[in-house]
Amino acid sequence: MTAKYNFDKQVAVVTGAAGGIGKAIAEKLYVAGASVVISDINEEKGKQVAEELGKRAVFIPCDISDPAQVEGLISSTIRHFGILHIMVNNAGVNGILPEERVTIDRYPNNTWHRLINVDLSGTFYCCKAAAKTMISQRHGNIINIASVAGVVALRLQIGFVAAKAAIIKMSEAMACELAPFGIRVNSVSPGSTITDVTRQLFYDDENDKSDLASRILSFIPLSRPGEAEEIADTVLFLASDSSSYINGHNIVVDGGWVSGFNRDF
Ligand SMILES: NC(=O)c1ccc[n+]([C@@H]2O[C@H](COP(=O)([O-])OP(=O)(O)OC[C@H]3O[C@@H](n4cnc5c(N)ncnc54)[C@H](O)[C@@H]3O)[C@@H](O)[C@H]2O)c1
């Protein structure tokens, strides 16, 4: 893997970095020279990712829905590396069981609370803890991973839609508040992105597209799902000086999904 950016001597924290998009972000930051904190609730996979990367990577466990653990993540990062340049808030969950993919009148309260606790409050705790440190440093860069579901509402995922829309607005509010301290805040909204988890939903055992995949892809002008590396590339752009005047923006990385109604009239 070759690097487009140089993050030499920079320190980054990536939450949810044990797999999927978070792992791709952590790998790209590492290859570009950053020291990277791999953080996740999944200790086994998180440790493995950090070990595979090398000496500039450490694993720090953290459940982002627990504010005390999030404070611990940032203080451990500072103890270990002395500084925090880039905070990537990627960890997130969605309701995937059939009983969780229902209209609001039947939407389970516990699914609602789980998604709000992890996706929204967890991202808020991470931003808050990172902002405290970055304000004292007078520099920093926060990137929150939202979703196309936060830009255009999807049916049967009301908890996810609400949490991701709030992440986009929260990022804008923080961009206004933190700019005077030299801190930029942006969000990235992936469309359907292939990870080990979503690959099973998209392709059957013969590697043919599933019915679900065909339905989703019919909405995507580029007619393919995104790769985790394509989301990571956008995160690295926002983390780099190449985006030095971009603040409070949400970059949608979705093959054109939300740009229009992909049907002929
Ligand atoms: N893959 C997609 O199609 C897609 C689309 C839109 C948005 N996203 C968003 O991108 C981000 C990453 O998604 P992904 O597809 O790589 O997911 P994933 O499930 O593959 O990875 C998420 C990671 O977050 C970790 N995690 C879950 N709960 C946590 C918690 N409470 N504290 C800390 N870590 C926790 C998991 O252990 C996992 O390693 C999420 O915020 C997701 O909502 C993904």
Side-chain angles (χ1 to χ4, degrees):
M1 208 191 287
T2 52
K4 288 183 196 160
Y5 301 104
N6 183 359
F7 291 102
D8 213 15
K9 299 199 171 58
Q10 298 220 28
V11 176
V13 172
V14 184
T15 67
I21 294 171
K23 182 181 173 197
I25 295 167
E27 282 174 349
K28 282 200 182 251
L29 284 167
Y30 189 88
V31 169
S35 297
V36 185
V37 174
I38 308 295
S39 187
D40 206 286
I41 203 168
N42 185 329
E43 299 208 11
E44 195 189 329
K45 285 194 175 162
K47 276 183 191 156
Q48 202 183 324
V49 171
E51 277 166 22
E52 280 166 12
L53 285 181
K55 278 191 196 148
R56 284 179 284 110
V58 292
F59 173 69
I60 301 179
C62 175
D63 177 345
I64 62 161
S65 66
D66 177 349
Q69 289 191 39
V70 172
E71 292 285 342
L73 166 63
I74 300 302
S75 56
S76 299
T77 299
I78 297 301
R79 253 198 319 279
H80 200 92
F81 291 113
I83 194 159
L84 172 61
H85 298 93
I86 302 159
M87 181 80 197
V88 184
N89 297 311
N90 161 81
V93 291
N94 196 356
I96 51 169
L97 301 171
E99 58 271 28
E100 295 177 307
R101 292 289 172 113
V102 290
T103 49
I104 184 169
D105 49 306
R106 291 186 295 136
Y107 198 82
N109 289 348
N110 56 1
T111 302
W112 170 267
H113 289 301
R114 185 167 58 90
L115 299 198
I116 296 299
N117 280 345
V118 177
D119 294 355
L120 180 54
S121 298
T123 302
F124 166 75
Y125 300 140
C126 290
C127 288
K128 184 176 173 181
K132 275 189 216 165
T133 292
M134 289 175 174
I135 285 172
S136 68
Q137 297 173 166
R138 299 257 154 186
H139 65 80
N141 195 323
I142 299 175
I143 298 150
N144 294 323
I145 306 301
S147 168
V148 288
V151 180
V152 288
L154 306 183
R155 281 170 50 80
L156 315 183
Q157 300 188 46
I158 200 156
F160 192 68
V161 167
K164 293 299 190 177
I167 287 174
I168 294 168
K169 282 293 154 195
M170 187 171 77
S171 305
E172 291 173 4
M174 283 191 296
C176 298
E177 290 181 0
L178 300 179
F181 302 99
I183 302 163
R184 288 192 292 127
V185 186
N186 292 287
S187 55
V188 173
S189 285
S192 275
T193 307
I194 289 290
T195 62
D196 290 345
V197 178
T198 54
R199 195 177 303 280
Q200 293 161 18
L201 296 173
F202 262 82
Y203 300 105
D204 62 21
D205 294 342
E206 268 83 54
N207 222 20
D208 290 328
K209 269 184 250 159
S210 67
D211 288 347
L212 173 70
S214 301
R215 282 203 307 277
I216 292 176
L217 295 181
S218 71
F219 290 101
I220 301 175
L222 283 183
S223 297
R224 66 169 178 85
E227 298 290 332
E229 288 69 26
E230 294 177 300
I231 311 303
D233 275 333
T234 308
V235 171
L236 263 73
F237 166 66
L238 287 173
S240 77
D241 285 343
S242 297
S243 61
S244 51
Y245 202 53
I246 299 180
N247 189 33
H249 195 66
N250 176 46
I251 300 188
V252 176
V253 188
D254 69 343
W257 182 351
V258 306
S259 58
F261 186 70
N262 194 33
R263 288 280 191 282
D264 294 334
F265 286 99

